[in-house]
Amino acid sequence: MTPSTAAQALIEAGRWINQQGWCPATGGNFSIRLGDDRALVTQSGRHKGHLTEQDFMQVDLFGTPLTEGKPSAETLVHTALYRLDDTIGAVLHTHSVPSTVLSRLTADDWLSLEGFEMQKSLSGNQTHEESIRLAIVDNTQDMTALANTIEQRWHTQPLSWGLLVRGHGLYAWGRDSQEATRHLEGLEFLFACELEMRRLGAR
Ligand SMILES: [Zn+2]
């Protein structure tokens, strides 16, 4: 995939994500892997609903800039994910209300979800009957520490589809931007359902 094609895919994803209200106030960041040793990432401080090709830059898989620009601090989480799993081709990090609230309501290191048909939107799931678990890590402003925590969690047990950062938001990933977008949409739907169940006292 060329940098330009990758940028176009993320520009389109950003417009749609912004319409859902999942990246307010320049929050969030997106990336696509470009081969074995680099990724295209959004630059710091750009609004994700109004991205242009100039809002992207390339970094190596340790977050070091390879082209002009200032990468977002959270780039280190994206590049850690690319190093941990070479099947990950795209990462979308968003700050939605459901992911922010639900991760604060859950004290555990995992969010468990079961009984929802939408679980099948997450690759590898054929049924609503099994419980799925999404990792939650505590928030910090130290992105090197956050990336290290995720690496340690991963080595204990590889993670699937995405992870929540408590009180902060969601990292969703996939083989490519389409699969990452489907995982993002499926997870957000599940978060909204789970929050509604808890609001109604059904959990
Ligand atoms: Zn963030």
Side-chain angles (χ1 to χ4, degrees), residues 81 99 102-103 106 108-113 132-138 146 149-150 152-154 157-166 169-173 187 191:
L81 291 167
S99 65
L102 192 55
S103 59
T106 310
D108 199 8
D109 285 344
W110 298 96
L111 173 69
S112 294
L113 298 163
I132 61 157
R133 296 203 308 167
L134 201 69
I136 307 179
V137 296
D138 285 331
L146 184 62
T149 301
I150 291 166
Q152 282 159 17
R153 285 286 293 268
W154 198 291
Q157 182 176 346
L159 307 179
S160 300
W161 324 298
L163 66 89
L164 282 164
V165 184
R166 192 167 277 116
L170 170 69
Y171 286 84
W173 58 78
L187 287 168
F191 298 158

Side-chain angles (χ1 to χ4, degrees), residues 100-185:
T100 301
V101 174
L102 192 55
S103 59
R104 288 190 65 178
L105 288 177
T106 310
D108 199 8
D109 285 344
W110 298 96
L111 173 69
S112 294
L113 298 163
E114 59 182 63
F116 297 112
E117 177 69 12
M118 189 60 87
Q119 289 168 217
K120 287 161 58 184
S121 69
L122 306 175
S123 64
N125 288 290
Q126 318 295 343
T127 174
H128 64 286
E129 287 171 344
E130 280 169 21
S131 174
I132 61 157
R133 296 203 308 167
L134 201 69
I136 307 179
V137 296
D138 285 331
N139 196 24
T140 169
Q141 300 306 317
D142 180 343
M143 288 303 136
T144 304
L146 184 62
N148 287 342
T149 301
I150 291 166
E151 279 190 56
Q152 282 159 17
R153 285 286 293 268
W154 198 291
H155 291 313
T156 313
Q157 182 176 346
L159 307 179
S160 300
W161 324 298
L163 66 89
L164 282 164
V165 184
R166 192 167 277 116
H168 178 158
L170 170 69
Y171 286 84
W173 58 78
R175 284 188 307 270
D176 50 30
S177 63
Q178 281 105 324
E179 189 178 67
T181 303
R182 194 185 81 228
H183 287 163
L184 169 63
E185 189 171 24

Side-chain angles (χ1 to χ4, degrees), residues 28-29 74 93 95 168 171:
N29 29 74
E74 291 166 309
H93 170 51
H95 293 176
H168 178 158
Y171 286 84

